[in-house]
Amino acid sequence: MAFSYEDICRDIFAGLCRKGEVDFLPTRIGSYWNNDYGTDVPVHFGLKEKVAEAVEIPRAFPGYEAICGIFSKSGFTPGLSELARGNTGLIPADEMRLL
């Protein structure tokens, strides 16, 4: 199930890029994370930590700004919605559509 979900999310993101709704092309797309934390806020911080540890990205693109996107099958808490403002896009299942 996780691999199919990843494929769907990649297709959605590619469609957003083609339509110009996302004004950049990704340099890296991660994988499915099962949310065993109980809330989505720890997932946000875990993602930010993974980005910070990805040393190959700043080497290849000095001065880059990491922009993250999180897809969710179950939606997002108000806490994550507040944290995500600016450089994290949130895409809930009810907004997902194959483009």
Side-chain angles (χ1 to χ4, degrees), residues 44-60:
H44 175 265
F45 287 114
L47 177 60
K48 294 295 185 181
E49 185 176 310
K50 282 186 87 157
V51 169
E53 291 172 354
V55 296
E56 73 278 5
I57 296 172
R59 281 189 199 141

Side-chain angles (χ1 to χ4, degrees), residues 16-69:
L16 293 172
C17 291
R18 278 192 303 276
K19 290 174 71 175
E21 292 180 34
V22 175
D23 61 355
F24 64 91
L25 294 175
T27 56
R28 184 174 182 181
I29 296 177
S31 60
Y32 175 83
W33 286 14
N34 188 10
N35 184 357
D36 293 334
Y37 299 108
T39 72
D40 51 10
V41 172
V43 171
H44 175 265
F45 287 114
L47 177 60
K48 294 295 185 181
E49 185 176 310
K50 282 186 87 157
V51 169
E53 291 172 354
V55 296
E56 73 278 5
I57 296 172
R59 281 189 199 141
F61 304 97
Y64 82 105
E65 175 188 358
I67 299 171
C68 300

Side-chain angles (χ1 to χ4, degrees), residues 62-90:
Y64 82 105
E65 175 188 358
I67 299 171
C68 300
I70 301 174
F71 288 80
S72 173
K73 293 185 277 187
S74 59
F76 302 101
T77 63
L80 180 61
S81 296
E82 183 66 29
L83 281 171
R85 292 184 185 195
N87 63 356
T88 302
L90 303 179

